[in-house]
Amino acid sequence: MTAPSQETGRGEVVLSARNVGKSYGQIQALKGVNFDIRRGQVTTLFGENGAGKSTLMKILSGVISPSSGEIVLDGQTLRFASAKEATARGISIIHQELSLAPNMSVRDNVFMGREITRGGAVDYAEEARQTRALMEELEEDIDPATPVEDLRLGQQQIVEIARALSVNSRILIMDEPTSALSASEVEVLFKVIRDLTARGVAIVYISHHLEEALTITDHAVVLRDGAMTASAPREEIDLDWIVRNMVGENFDLGSPPTGYEMGDAALSLRGLSVPSANGTRLAVEDLSLDLRAGEIVCIYGLMGAGRTELLECVAGRTAPQSGAIVFEGEDMRRLSIAERIARGLVLVPEDRQRDGLVQTMSVGQNLSLASIGAFTRGLFTSRRTERGLVDASIRDVTIKTDGGGAAIGSLSGGNQQKVVIGKMLATHPRVVLLDEPSRGIDIGAKAEVFRLLAERAKAGIGVIYSTSEVGECLSIAHRIVVMRRGRIAAEFGADVTKEEIMAASGEQVAA
């Protein structure tokens, strides 16, 4: 990756939104927003899901047009006709939801739409060389010829980042770039960001990882309900400032629910071993774990610890190599995913776009999909019953939407995640597995999700959720299980410290 030196004018405004508004029918996503992007600086945009962050970034990158206001680039008022036009002007965006072609190679994804040609033919060797150089810069050992669908989610995120870096943009917008990255991958990305800003590249950074974002930002802006509520340089802000301006008060993620008796073991794993995706090693090895009815267990671990492989195996997405999965006394290993759901065992997957939602369906159709048997008789469905189920789910899970008929793509990331959770809860499960349920959602939405899980636990549902954020362990979990290299490294009660959890996972604890 190369970029011209642009130290001259460092800190000057290069791109601005002036009184920008955006309406979708009766919904006003943005309300007269003023937003500046400065050369050689990281401007971080904070806000809850649905605050308008992604809408503003799509306007600045030419994906959509504003309903009112103007965009000013280098002092010139512009109206981008397309994202391609914005890219030609030096503006690139890494979207929150991955926009990769899974059946194509890493190389082809990086150069999609701007292939390197020589003599009228695509120069695949040069594309592979440049892709390999980008991967080395991001300290990721990924072969350019590897199909994207064979990569884990964090590696797919790296490919998305590499594609944006390959354009050598003057302005780079990063919408939740670290949501699927490990701690070491985040460190590498931050080094790349500092290298880019040192050369004069302007960065816009959006993240729900508040503490993480504070370490990289130069200037912070907060959006709330489509309007800008605060703006300040890094030296004037802290975590409380961000939360106060985002949600109006200090939020916590709750505490372990009490005041009820837990039941017997609802789910028992005995000596469970699960092969990795490529079958070269064991992702989970000889793991045993019990979950009681009404208990909330958090599984913490770094990337590669085996959390996802464990939950997907229990849910039926992959087969174990050995061991037993016992649900309410019944061995589940031979049952399909649908049969496990019918018994009351469900999974909320990590990747909501790929595995949790059908993009061509409405909000209501997504919500009712897993419960279709409840309102279908033979070849006929009861629209009235389905509508009642959808309305109840929207209300119970507090989804912000125009209604069940709204397009799923019209919802913010946090509300899409609530749809996935609501879909599974609508099946009336007795054990819920959630793989990184807070990925890409804001602190307010996290609190709502965890409150929802605490309420279900009080009703007797067993809950297991995985996370790579230590702070989320210290919320509603009665018990914290730390995984390391496919095994349980430690188990703690609710009185554990962050330092103890991190040490057990093998993560370096800052002095």
Side-chain angles (χ1 to χ4, degrees):
M1 177 182 60
T2 59
S5 178
Q6 296 174 321
E7 288 293 340
T8 304
R10 181 179 171 89
E12 70 175 290
V13 174
V14 290
L15 181 64
S16 295
R18 289 283 170 262
N19 297 312
V20 165
K22 181 64 179 179
S23 298
Y24 295 96
Q26 299 298 314
I27 298 176
Q28 201 166 357
L30 293 175
K31 307 167 186 174
V33 171
N34 293 293
F35 182 76
D36 292 331
I37 300 172
R38 295 173 172 82
R39 191 187 314 278
Q41 291 190 5
V42 177
T43 302
T44 303
L45 186 58
F46 295 105
E48 292 189 273
N49 288 107
K53 305 185 302 299
S54 294
T55 300
L56 178 59
M57 294 304 103
K58 287 176 181 177
I59 289 172
L60 293 177
S61 59
V63 176
I64 59 176
S65 298
S67 302
S68 59
E70 60 185 23
I71 305 301
V72 180
L73 176 65
D74 296 325
Q76 180 184 2
T77 300
L78 299 173
R79 194 172 187 89
F80 298 127
S82 65
K84 187 174 182 180
E85 185 178 317
T87 301
R89 292 277 190 160
I91 303 170
S92 295
I93 183 168
I94 300 169
H95 292 284
Q96 178 180 356
E97 306 298 349
L98 299 181
S99 56
L100 303 173
N103 61 324
M104 294 173 63
S105 69
V106 170
R107 176 203 65 208
D108 290 344
N109 270 276
V110 169
F111 288 96
M112 190 190 307
R114 50 182 195 84
E115 290 77 8
I116 298 174
T117 57
R118 200 164 266 127
V122 176
D123 190 342
Y124 293 114
E126 178 59 20
E127 287 186 357
R129 187 194 68 78
Q130 292 190 28
T131 300
R132 194 171 287 108
L134 284 163
M135 292 302 152
E136 288 176 2
E137 185 166 7
L138 292 167
E139 299 182 20
E140 197 72 33
D141 185 19
I142 299 175
D143 188 328
T146 304
V148 164
E149 62 190 355
D150 292 346
L151 302 178
R152 62 177 173 79
L153 187 60
Q155 291 175 315
Q156 291 182 20
Q157 186 80 66
I158 291 290
V159 175
E160 188 89 52
I161 292 167
R163 182 166 68 182
L165 294 179
S166 70
V167 183
N168 291 329
S169 301
R170 296 191 303 134
I171 299 165
L172 180 57
I173 299 168
M174 297 183 166
D175 192 352
E176 292 287 345
T178 67
S179 60
L181 302 186
S182 66
S184 59
E185 288 168 337
V186 171
E187 283 187 25
V188 173
L189 177 61
F190 281 7
K191 283 195 290 185
V192 171
I193 289 174
R194 284 307 182 201
D195 179 51
L196 290 169
T197 56
R199 296 185 232 165
V201 177
I203 304 284
V204 180
Y205 189 88
I206 301 174
S207 179
H208 294 309
H209 299 281
L210 306 185
E211 292 178 343
E212 175 188 282
L214 278 174
T215 67
I216 194 68
T217 190
D218 295 307
H219 194 90
V221 174
V222 180
L223 279 182
R224 186 176 180 187
D225 295 329
M228 195 173 82
T229 59
S231 176
R234 172 63 184 91
E235 57 270 19
E236 295 179 12
I237 67 173
D238 56 18
L239 195 59
D240 287 342
W241 181 91
I242 298 169
V243 174
R244 184 172 64 253
N245 284 290
M246 275 178 57
V247 297
E249 58 180 302
N250 286 316
F251 248 81
D252 65 51
L253 296 178
S255 56
T258 58
Y260 64 98
E261 290 291 328
M262 294 183 193
D264 297 330
L267 178 67
S268 295
L269 311 180
R270 291 288 174 264
L272 197 65
S273 292
V274 183
S276 61
N278 58 19
T280 59
R281 62 180 180 84
L282 287 177
V284 178
E285 186 173 359
D286 194 27
L287 185 144
S288 296
L289 177 67
D290 287 329
L291 172 72
R292 298 170 64 186
E295 183 182 24
I296 302 177
V297 171
C298 171
I299 298 180
Y300 176 80
L302 304 178
M303 287 288 182
R307 295 174 291 121
T308 293
E309 291 86 350
L310 172 65
L311 295 183
E312 290 188 345
C313 177
V314 174
R317 297 190 65 183
T318 57
Q321 178 174 295
S322 59
I325 303 169
V326 181
F327 176 68
E328 296 182 340
E330 180 183 6
D331 191 340
M332 308 287 279
R333 285 176 297 173
R334 295 186 182 277
L335 299 185
S336 66
I337 295 175
E339 288 170 331
R340 296 183 203 207
I341 292 173
R343 297 291 200 284
L345 176 63
V346 301
L347 169 68
V348 174
E350 178 185 23
D351 190 338
R352 59 176 171 262
Q353 294 295 318
R354 186 187 67 188
D355 303 322
L357 298 169
V358 180
Q359 298 298 322
T360 55
M361 287 184 170
S362 67
V363 170
Q365 289 169 328
N366 271 282
L367 280 167
S368 64
L369 188 60
S371 307
I372 193 168
F375 51 87
T376 301
R377 295 293 179 270
L379 299 176
F380 301 96
T381 60
S382 169
R383 295 299 182 192
R384 182 177 179 180
T385 304
E386 181 184 11
R387 190 162 51 249
L389 182 149
V390 169
D391 291 345
S393 293
I394 290 173
R395 182 177 62 253
D396 293 345
V397 191
T398 61
I399 300 167
K400 295 179 181 176
T401 176
D402 273 348
I408 194 67
S410 68
L411 270 57
S412 66
N415 282 294
Q416 289 185 16
Q417 182 73 333
K418 289 181 185 178
V419 169
V420 181
I421 294 172
K423 174 179 70 174
M424 302 320 300
L425 291 179
T427 66
H428 305 293
R430 293 187 295 285
V431 168
V432 180
L433 313 174
L434 304 101
D435 192 3
E436 293 274 12
S438 67
R439 187 177 77 84
I441 66 176
D442 63 74
I443 188 170
K446 285 182 187 180
E448 289 182 17
V449 167
F450 285 170
R451 173 191 56 77
L452 192 67
L453 297 178
E455 289 175 355
R456 293 305 190 273
K458 283 187 174 182
I461 293 178
V463 175
I464 297 178
Y465 71 93
S466 76
T467 183
S468 53
E469 288 192 46
V470 181
E472 292 181 7
C473 298
L474 306 174
S475 55
I476 60 169
H478 297 107
R479 187 158 48 108
I480 298 159
V481 173
V482 180
M483 287 188 67
R484 184 176 182 181
R485 295 177 182 173
R487 292 177 175 268
I488 292 179
E491 288 193 33
F492 301 104
D495 57 349
V496 68
T497 65
K498 284 186 179 182
E499 289 74 20
E500 289 173 315
I501 295 172
M502 293 169 69
S505 72
E507 189 171 354
Q508 185 175 356
V509 181

